[in-house]
Amino acid sequence: MSSTSTVPQAEARPKGQTARRVPKYPGIRVTCNGNQLVTQYIETRITEGGVFYPITPSTEGGEIYQQSFAQGELNVFGAQKIAVECEGEHAAQGGATAYSVAGCRTVNFTSGQGIVYAMEQYYHASGKLSTMVLEVGARALTKHALNVHCGHDDFYAALDTGWTMMVGKDAQQAADHAMIMRKVNELALNPGMNIQDGMLTTHSERTYLAPEADLLREYLGAPDEMIDCPTPAQRELFGPKRRRVPEMMDLKNPILLGPVQNQEHHMNGVVARRNNFNEPILKFIEQAYEEFGHLTGRYYHLVTEYKTEDADTVFVSLGCAAENIEAACDYLREQRNAKAGSIHVNVIRPFPEAAIINALRGKKNVIVLERTDEALAATASLR
């Protein structure tokens, strides 16, 4: 979608689909910014709790959630919610993790310094099978100076924490990712960060498509519904079925969660986590993308390719830079007769290695654009 577009455009239809069909849930037109679209139209309507601490440019997310709670709004499943503003981002992340492993659908909102302040809380959240979503308005970290605008150094700092990470190139994709990531987290039993660019996307006002209540109910399901365990490891833990959001902390059925382990057992646990919980995540994402596209007509993939079929030169990026890059590719093709294309990486963790290799195959020049500089490293993470 270009910067002059007013209504989000769906991505290309899947291969083999020739006729455009009317999707079951085309969306409801609303004019708002990225924070409002993600929080007011998604998170307040599907979750049971928001635990957060305000920090620009994500402050608005917590404010909107607090207002929904204060007004007594129920979610689309008829349940009440709680809203807790903690004393800082570290406490907020600890509270959000705890609420989620108690079996509640949970959200947190943060940016920049808030991500790194809460850093130690991320590692154990995945190990405890949290399914929460952290809504991130990506912001530059304070280094030689403070900057509240978009930078990617904040979530880059958390790349190794074991969280699933999706990046939207505009607010529509960020909102759609909020639903898609929620579904994936609750299948994989892994927490995730849903990332949009701070200020440039969180505060970008356009006309978007908000989800219908029936879409939220059909696509996500209620947190307390019983579902089939999707992996052998989960069937070993829970049996053939489990609660969609498991009550890992349950006074009626206590278990040992987060023990102290010595080297051998700890190593075995780390490897078991990768093999049995991390490896299936990309497959869950692809399945969730496909189901979402079928219901809404908005199809996403692990990467978004723009005019790459015949391109000699491709630009690779994360976030809203892709919109400008796509416009630049159009200009280069029309004015310079240059075969240029764009690849936007929609999923940064787990890293979609095979999808990126396939997208880059046969290209002569690859230009990677990143919104960060990793001090003392030879190059930034994506490169």
Side-chain angles (χ1 to χ4, degrees):
M1 184 174 69
S2 70
S3 59
T4 57
S5 298
T6 56
V7 178
Q9 302 297 313
E11 289 197 21
R13 294 187 297 277
K15 294 179 181 178
Q17 184 175 324
T18 56
R20 180 180 293 275
R21 64 176 183 84
V22 178
K24 184 176 182 181
Y25 300 111
I28 302 166
R29 290 175 183 242
V30 296
T31 299
C32 62
N33 66 30
N35 277 332
Q36 292 168 327
L37 188 65
V38 167
T39 308
Q40 180 175 338
Y41 293 100
I42 311 292
E43 295 296 355
T44 63
R45 302 169 69 200
I46 64 173
T47 56
E48 298 166 290
V51 188
F52 47 83
Y53 183 78
I55 181 170
T56 306
S58 293
T59 299
E60 197 174 20
E63 290 175 340
I64 293 169
Y65 201 94
Q66 182 74 48
Q67 181 179 10
S68 176
F69 165 72
Q71 292 174 341
E73 294 177 354
L74 305 180
N75 64 28
V76 297
F77 304 101
Q80 295 179 331
K81 62 174 73 72
I82 67 166
V84 181
E85 180 180 320
C86 297
E87 54 81 28
E89 291 89 352
H90 186 276
Q93 184 53 48
T97 299
Y99 200 57
S100 64
V101 298
C104 299
R105 192 173 273 167
T106 310
V107 65
N108 183 10
F109 308 91
T110 198
S111 297
Q113 241 61 34
I115 288 183
V116 294
Y117 181 28
M119 188 68 70
E120 70 170 345
Q121 297 281 13
Y122 301 138
Y123 294 91
H124 73 90
S126 57
K128 290 181 171 64
L129 307 187
S130 169
T131 61
M132 67 162 291
V133 171
L134 179 62
E135 296 290 354
V136 175
R139 164 186 160 177
L141 293 178
T142 299
K143 297 177 180 177
H144 67 286
L146 183 146
N147 183 349
V148 299
H149 286 261
C150 175
H152 290 173
D153 13 344
D154 55 358
F155 72 85
Y156 269 40
L159 286 176
D160 69 341
T161 57
W163 287 50
T164 304
M165 294 186 181
M166 294 182 172
V167 185
K169 72 175 184 177
D170 56 24
Q172 184 66 62
Q173 186 173 6
D176 292 345
H177 271 173
M179 295 177 272
I180 294 164
M181 171 166 278
R182 184 73 62 176
K183 188 176 187 71
V184 171
N185 289 1
E186 292 174 359
L187 287 172
L189 301 183
N190 199 64
M193 298 185 189
N194 182 33
I195 301 155
Q196 59 178 314
D197 283 340
M199 295 296 181
L200 301 178
T201 304
T202 59
H203 289 65
S204 172
E205 297 221 4
R206 298 180 183 174
T207 297
Y208 302 108
L209 297 172
E212 299 87 346
D214 284 342
L215 168 63
L216 298 174
R217 296 187 188 100
E218 179 175 340
Y219 184 67
L220 294 176
D224 59 354
E225 285 180 353
M226 298 300 293
I227 65 170
D228 294 329
C229 286
T231 67
Q234 291 187 31
R235 288 192 287 274
E236 186 172 341
L237 281 177
F238 299 101
K241 290 184 177 291
R242 64 165 170 87
R243 200 174 185 271
R244 187 183 300 277
V245 180
E247 294 175 308
M248 302 304 297
M249 289 186 176
D250 182 3
L251 295 178
K252 298 178 182 178
N253 183 30
I255 63 171
L256 178 64
L257 190 66
V260 175
Q261 293 179 331
N262 286 328
Q263 292 89 329
E264 181 180 356
H265 295 94
H266 186 270
M267 176 194 69
N268 289 335
V270 170
V271 174
R273 175 77 194 174
R274 172 179 283 274
N275 291 342
N276 295 296
F277 288 90
N278 296 349
E279 293 295 337
I281 293 176
L282 282 177
K283 179 182 177 182
F284 288 144
I285 293 173
E286 292 179 298
Q287 292 171 346
Y289 273 155
E290 180 64 26
E291 182 182 353
F292 186 84
H294 180 75
L295 290 172
T296 67
R298 299 192 296 278
Y299 286 91
Y300 300 101
H301 309 281
L302 299 177
V303 299
T304 296
E305 299 183 56
Y306 182 78
K307 296 188 176 179
T308 59
E309 294 85 354
D310 64 340
D312 294 325
T313 299
V314 293
F315 298 85
V316 181
S317 64
L318 293 166
C320 66
E323 291 188 317
N324 291 329
I325 292 171
E326 291 172 6
C329 290
D330 292 340
Y331 175 85
L332 291 171
R333 284 176 174 270
E334 294 169 5
Q335 302 297 324
R336 305 286 181 86
N337 197 31
K339 295 180 179 179
S342 171
I343 297 172
H344 180 263
V345 182
N346 295 325
V347 180
I348 189 69
R349 283 294 184 273
F351 190 71
E353 182 179 356
I356 292 177
I357 290 173
N358 288 333
L360 295 178
R361 182 172 284 116
K363 308 310 178 190
K364 296 179 180 179
N365 307 298
V366 178
I367 302 171
V368 180
L369 301 175
E370 297 187 82
R371 288 186 182 271
T372 188
D373 176 51
E374 297 189 348
L376 308 185
T379 185
S381 293
L382 189 58
R383 282 173 281 177

